[in-house]
Amino acid sequence: MSDEALVTRLRDLLGKSAVLTDTDVTASYARDMMPLAPSGTPLAVVLPANTEQVQAVVKACAEAKVPIVPRGAGSGLSGAANAIDGCVTLSLTKLNEIVEIDPGNRLAVVQPGVVNLDFRTAVEKHGLFYPPDPSSYDWCTIGGNLSTNAGGLCCVKYGVTTDSVLGLEVVLADGSLLKTGRRTVKGVAGYDLARLFVGSEGTLGVITQATVQLKPLPQAPATLVAGFSTTEAAGEAVARVVREGLVPSLLEIMDASSIKAAEAYLKTDLGAGSDCQALLLGQSDAGGEVARRELAALEQICVDCGADLAYTTEDLEEGRMLLQARRVVLTALETYGLWLTDDVCVPRTRIAELIRGCEKISAEVGLRIAVVGHAGDGNMHPTIVYQPDDPDEFARAQRAFDEILEVGLSLGGTVTGEHGVGKIKREWLAREIGPVGLRVHREIKRALDPENLFNPGSMFSMT
């Protein structure tokens, strides 16, 4: 089947308006938010409105031997949704229905095109809570979160996306619909196929529906901020929190560079002092006396580890203001140039070593590197700032990106905690999982997608 014939068939299946071929339009679907990841030009962008249309698209592309790249909102940071030349980009934004909210069983059934924040808002009306909260939660979609196994600020207590998934519906490479998982709290029948597809970045199938579990709506959070004159002291405080069994709903860290950027952007003093090298932000959503005890224990640990500042508040607005400093870091860094954020997770006892490693890399490449991250689970986001119109700076930013991953692995970590592998970290995945792990990945891919239809070249190569 020729390209023209495939486009005609897709228009017959979906309607003319749901098949986009104008290159000025399709260019906006060609890549996500990762500047280093390669991207190509799609043959067409299709916008199916239901599962049956997704199945029809998959069957048509399989017959024509044209690859498919599934796509959510494009908020990703790994290039996993980037087009390759001649592919059909399958956008799932029209599958945007919250099919069911079941308060009695604390679960919901949702389509992939639903925006994370919209879903959270909908379940909150039932006194329930959907935990996964990526930083782009106000525009990223559930499907993208599922495909990359997205995390967020609350992972320390509630886990990543897969920890909330009960079951999935997935269109396979032959167009058939796999229904896997359950609606019950427990269930061990067969392989856990739902978890196989979560985090597979569209390489094994197209997720068209998910059954997810919900939590009771947490209490309003109380907040802690603590400033340290050394990174090592902040790192020891994090390690103490883990050793003593405390599980705050949020525990974030900011290094000196990110603190200064946030203060300049917000035009405010965070109260940490000019010598502050690291800031910890913690929250408890347990409510009442339990929250007060949790924060008191966190505060005491910080003081014992040498914090120059340790302050807690139950005032919601004050807590939002303190946390805003963490949330605005990437925006604040844009005042210095374009940012390139890395994603590396290390054992929580080695966070300070990672930050020191980033400081050394920053000095070697001559670029600003600010480190923020989820201290509670060790997932750090070193962010490199460079001038996009300077090829030399861009090359140094690329070098820094890779050297940060090298440091992360050397500390016993992983090359991605929540952004995924995509098309930017394929070689790093191979290094991390080794030849046997890579062979198993390829065998699973061949079993489910023998013609390499879905997102070829993402995560790993087939040769």
Side-chain angles (χ1 to χ4, degrees), residues 39-92:
S39 64
T41 301
L43 168 67
V45 174
V46 298
L47 297 98
N50 53 52
T51 297
E52 292 73 22
Q53 288 189 350
V54 173
Q55 291 177 277
V57 168
V58 170
K59 289 177 182 177
C61 290
E63 182 180 333
K65 300 189 183 303
V66 170
I68 295 171
V69 177
R71 178 183 173 86
S75 63
L77 289 162
S78 70
N82 285 12
I84 60 174
D85 287 337
C87 77
V88 167
T89 294
L90 197 159
S91 172
L92 294 157

Side-chain angles (χ1 to χ4, degrees), residues 426 438 442 446 452 457-463:
R426 294 187 308 172
L438 187 58
R442 287 170 173 161
R446 289 190 186 101
N452 201 16
S458 197
M459 293 186 75
F460 53 89
S461 69
M462 291 301 290
T463 57

Side-chain angles (χ1 to χ4, degrees), residues 118-142:
D118 293 343
F119 182 49
R120 290 163 65 91
T121 301
V123 300
E124 280 178 7
K125 295 174 183 176
H126 298 268
L128 297 170
F129 171 54
Y130 180 64
D133 65 333
S135 295
S136 57
Y137 72 105
D138 56 343
W139 67 290
C140 67
T141 57
I142 298 296

Side-chain angles (χ1 to χ4, degrees), residues 366-450:
L367 296 174
R368 182 190 301 265
I369 298 178
V371 183
V372 295
H374 317 310
D377 55 31
N379 191 186
M380 297 292 102
H381 297 302
T383 301
I384 308 149
V385 183
Y386 66 99
Q387 300 304 317
D389 55 352
D390 186 330
D392 178 63
E393 283 206 7
F394 183 58
R396 283 183 278 145
Q398 289 179 297
R399 172 187 159 193
F401 186 89
D402 284 340
E403 289 186 1
I404 289 167
L405 296 176
E406 184 75 57
V407 171
L409 282 181
S410 73
L411 294 174
T414 174
V415 296
T416 177
E418 59 186 5
H419 293 170
V421 174
K423 297 177 178 68
I424 190 63
K425 293 183 179 178
R426 294 187 308 172
E427 292 78 10
W428 290 98
L429 174 68
R431 284 183 57 177
E432 180 174 327
I433 66 176
V436 175
L438 187 58
R439 187 195 76 207
V440 172
H441 275 67
R442 287 170 173 161
E443 289 176 352
I444 292 171
K445 169 76 167 170
R446 289 190 186 101
L448 291 173
D449 182 15

